């Protein structure tokens, strides 16, 4: 969710987990962009790469070689750059592997630092450094909703990377272009998915995953009651309920799928409506029943752990989780699948757009070397490597047809990949997006913790309208 996000490097069977996210893109940042096999963009909170319960062996696919390495080495050998990268799933592991290969081939020394766990904290870290004109950051991983706000601090990549940008999804490139300047390059995408235990659905007499939220609640309750007889830690449904960006993404899916809008519609806050109240109260009613009471503190990592440790029947998460669950060491390997997220009684399934980009700081002392690193990291071979080893969604449409990519990422099947995308309201909020998102996720977390939606939504709507006036 930006994603924020976590430790991704989710590798398939016997591989070392390397990372996540998918390609359709920016329905609401630049309008809806639809790709043949769906590629999307996202992100939600980020979680430190501390997952050890599903430890992997070494990656069987080597990091791709750096094209034109000799020429790059001749120009920039010995220069040092710092990359503020991933921290979700095994994302940091992947970043280290790619940085090591880049350094080996070019002689440019890359220091890799994971960004903070929560997306809003990661954003604040970058803004502090930029405001101080600090050269401590050369390349940064930025959320799909940040380019507009961070543009003044970022290098225009168009002169050197315009040609490479053309292989990426046009909608994402458009979102990364601010006032004619390409301020970031697409890296990987994201969209919300429903993970479910195929073995448990069969055990309890269900032929297919739930279509509606009410069906999910009923199925989760039945399965939970049965499984808790042997596993008291078992829950029906887990998701990202903590007070952070990930909850803004989750709640957007709940509300939009129930016909309650997108927080802000037609330039005005719209969250205080009957359909939004109904679905949020329905989610509140599940806390401590079909969900663990602690789900209001869950981010992506905790969600993935619960599901892959065999302690949940259903989970909402990003594509990166697929790679971890399908890997040797996961307790659910071969026992799960994915489906579109449920919808309200009269609504339709949606998935929040997420994704991450790479940008170069204007205050870098080695901008050209940094740009070469971005060129490598956003190249087709690297995105293919990331998709296969870490189940991240490539932002290059042609990779959605790559047989190995599709085989290792079944979530790219049309049934899930072509679900309608919804975008967070960054285009309405500009530099005030993080401020507005905080209002949203704090309010919704309050609802999940017991306060009726009717007592919270009027305040959220009022605050959002106040923020909109500041633009």
């Amino acid at each position: 969710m930006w994603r924020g996000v976590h430790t991704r490097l989710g590798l398939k069977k016997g591989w070392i987990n390397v990372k996540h996210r998918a390609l359709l893109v920016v329905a609401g940042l630049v309008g809806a962009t639809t790709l043949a096999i769906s590629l999307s963009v996202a992100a939600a909170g980020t979680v430190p790469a501390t997952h050890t319960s599903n430890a992997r062996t070494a990656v069987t696919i080597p990091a791709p070689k750096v094209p034109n390495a000799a020429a790059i080495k001749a120009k920039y050998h010995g220069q040092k750059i710092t990359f503020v990268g991933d921290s979700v799933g095994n994302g940091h592991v992947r970043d280290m592997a790619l940085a090591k290969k880049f350094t080996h081939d070019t002689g440019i020394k890359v220091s890799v630092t994971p960004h903070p766990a929560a997306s809003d904290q990661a954003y604040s870290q970058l803004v502090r450094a930029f405001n101080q004109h600090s050269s401590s950051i050369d390349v940064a991983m930025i959320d799909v909703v940040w380019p507009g706000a961070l543009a003044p601090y970022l290098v225009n990549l168009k002169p050197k990377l315009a040609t490479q940008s053309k292989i990426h999804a046009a909608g994402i490139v458009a979102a990364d272009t601010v006032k004619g300047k390409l301020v970031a390059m697409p890296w990987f995408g994201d969209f919300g998915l429903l993970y479910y235990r195929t073995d448990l659905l069969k055990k309890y007499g269900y032929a297919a995953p739930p279509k509606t939220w009410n069906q999910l609640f009923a199925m989760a309750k039945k399965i939970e009651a049965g499984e808790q007889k042997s596993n008291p830690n078992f829950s029906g449904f887990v998701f990202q309920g903590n007070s952070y960006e990930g909850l803004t993404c989750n709640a957007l899916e709940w509300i939009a799928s129930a016909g309650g809008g997108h927080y802000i519609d037609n330039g005005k806050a719209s969250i205080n409506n009957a359909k939004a109240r109904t679905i949020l109260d329905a989610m509140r009613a599940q806390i401590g029943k079909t969900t663990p009471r602690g789900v209001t503190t869950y981010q992506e990592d905790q969600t993935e752990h619960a599901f892959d440790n065999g302690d949940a029947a259903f989970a909402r998460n990003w594509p990166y989780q697929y790679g971890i669950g399908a890997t040797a060491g996961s307790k659910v390997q071969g026992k799960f699948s994915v489906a579109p997220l449920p919808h309200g009684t009269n609504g339709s399934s949606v998935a929040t757009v997420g994704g991450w980009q790479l940008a170069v700081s204007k205050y870098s002392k080695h901008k050209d070397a940094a740009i070469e690193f971005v060129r490598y990291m956003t190249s087709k071979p690297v995105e293919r490597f990331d998709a296969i080893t870490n189940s991240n969604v490539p932002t290059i449409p042609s990779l959605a047809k790559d047989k190995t990519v599709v085989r290792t990422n079944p979530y790219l099947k049309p049934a899930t990949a072509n679900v309608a995308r919804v975008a967070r309201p960054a285009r309405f909020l500009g530099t005030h997006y993080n401020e507005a998102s905080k209002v949203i996720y704090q309010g919704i977390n309050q609802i999940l913790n017991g306060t009726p939606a009717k007592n919270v939504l009027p305040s959220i709507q009022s605050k959002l309208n106040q923020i909109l006036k500041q633009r």
Side-chain angles (χ1 to χ4, degrees), residues 264 267-269 428-429 432 461-471:
I264 296 173
K268 295 182 179 180
F428 293 116
L429 294 158
H432 296 284
Q461 180 152 308
S462 176
K463 290 177 181 178
L464 289 179
N465 279 326
Q466 291 175 15
I467 294 172
L468 285 168
K469 292 178 181 178
Q470 297 174 25
R471 287 202 62 196

Side-chain angles (χ1 to χ4, degrees), residues 286-439:
Q286 305 307 311
I287 306 301
K289 296 180 181 178
T290 59
T291 75
R293 185 66 191 82
V295 78
T296 57
T297 67
Y298 280 23
Q299 295 189 15
E300 284 84 358
D301 210 34
Q302 291 78 24
T303 302
E304 178 268 311
H305 288 4
F307 189 83
D308 289 339
N309 286 337
D311 292 331
F314 300 98
R316 182 274 178 208
N317 215 336
W318 309 100
Y320 87 95
Q321 180 174 310
Y322 196 98
I324 297 177
T327 305
S330 166
K331 293 182 179 180
V332 300
Q333 183 187 30
K335 301 177 181 179
F336 76 96
S337 189
V338 292
L341 289 162
H343 55 77
T345 304
N346 297 313
S348 58
S349 295
V350 301
T352 295
V353 172
W356 293 87
Q357 336 297 309
L358 295 183
V360 175
S361 169
K362 276 188 175 180
Y363 309 109
S364 167
K365 293 181 179 179
H366 303 292
K367 295 182 182 65
D368 289 337
I371 290 173
E372 291 306 323
F373 181 65
V374 171
R375 186 195 303 277
Y376 171 65
M377 294 289 278
T378 61
S379 65
K380 188 172 182 178
V382 169
E383 286 212 359
R384 183 178 186 275
F385 170 82
D386 191 24
I388 294 172
T389 61
N390 198 42
S391 69
N392 277 328
V393 181
T395 59
I396 299 172
S398 61
L399 285 174
K401 301 176 183 178
D402 183 291
K403 292 182 179 179
T404 305
V405 170
V406 175
R407 183 174 67 251
T408 54
N409 296 288
Y411 63 81
L412 286 177
K413 60 187 179 183
T416 47
N418 293 336
V419 169
R421 303 295 192 267
V422 287
R424 290 160 285 171
R427 66 191 180 101
F428 293 116
L429 294 158
T431 58
H432 296 284
Y433 173 78
N434 270 29
E435 178 186 354
S437 183
K438 186 175 183 179
V439 168

Side-chain angles (χ1 to χ4, degrees), residues 76-346:
Y76 310 118
H77 179 270
Q79 292 190 13
K80 299 179 181 180
I81 60 175
T82 296
F83 170 43
V84 177
D86 211 345
S87 62
V88 172
N90 291 320
H92 181 61
V93 178
R94 179 214 48 220
D95 291 349
M96 292 292 289
L98 291 169
K100 181 178 180 180
K101 180 61 175 175
F102 183 79
T103 295
H104 175 272
D105 287 3
T106 68
I108 299 171
K109 298 179 181 179
V110 182
S111 174
V112 181
T113 302
H115 64 59
S119 186
D120 50 355
Q121 293 175 5
Y123 177 85
S124 296
Q125 176 193 59
L126 294 178
V127 170
R128 283 195 300 273
F130 293 152
N131 283 335
Q132 295 169 5
H133 294 190
S134 172
S135 61
S136 61
I137 298 173
D138 298 283
V139 178
M141 171 182 178
I142 70 172
D143 196 291
V144 68
V145 295
W146 296 351
L150 297 181
Y153 310 111
L154 305 176
V155 171
N156 179 15
L157 303 175
K158 185 175 288 187
K160 291 197 172 185
L161 300 182
T163 299
Q164 181 157 313
S165 71
K166 293 178 181 179
I167 68 173
H168 293 265
I172 308 178
V173 174
D176 290 337
T177 302
V178 180
K179 296 181 179 179
K181 296 180 179 179
L182 182 64
V183 299
M185 278 287 287
W187 191 23
F188 63 85
D190 260 337
F191 62 96
L193 290 167
L194 179 70
Y195 290 79
Y196 66 95
R197 288 282 298 276
T198 52
D199 59 330
L200 294 183
L201 262 64
K202 182 178 181 180
K203 178 179 179 180
Y204 290 91
Y206 297 113
K211 298 292 186 181
T212 68
W213 291 111
N214 285 336
Q215 289 174 356
L216 182 146
F217 300 152
M219 293 168 71
K221 181 179 180 180
K222 181 178 180 179
I223 297 173
E224 178 181 277
E227 293 301 299
Q228 282 191 346
K229 294 175 182 177
S230 58
N231 179 5
N233 295 321
F234 192 89
S235 297
F237 177 45
V238 290
F239 57 89
Q240 295 82 65
N242 199 354
S243 183
Y244 82 122
E245 183 63 27
L247 182 53
T248 296
C249 295
N250 279 242
L252 175 59
E253 292 163 344
W254 306 338
I255 294 171
S257 71
H262 311 85
Y263 298 140
I264 296 173
D265 292 285
N266 300 316
K268 295 182 179 180
S270 59
I271 192 172
N272 185 26
N273 65 77
K275 292 181 179 179
R277 289 193 293 272
T278 298
I279 188 63
L280 290 173
D281 281 336
M283 289 294 174
R284 173 172 58 86
Q286 305 307 311
I287 306 301
K289 296 180 181 178
T290 59
T291 75
R293 185 66 191 82
V295 78
T296 57
T297 67
Y298 280 23
Q299 295 189 15
E300 284 84 358
D301 210 34
Q302 291 78 24
T303 302
E304 178 268 311
H305 288 4
F307 189 83
D308 289 339
N309 286 337
D311 292 331
F314 300 98
R316 182 274 178 208
N317 215 336
W318 309 100
Y320 87 95
Q321 180 174 310
Y322 196 98
I324 297 177
T327 305
S330 166
K331 293 182 179 180
V332 300
Q333 183 187 30
K335 301 177 181 179
F336 76 96
S337 189
V338 292
L341 289 162
H343 55 77
T345 304
N346 297 313

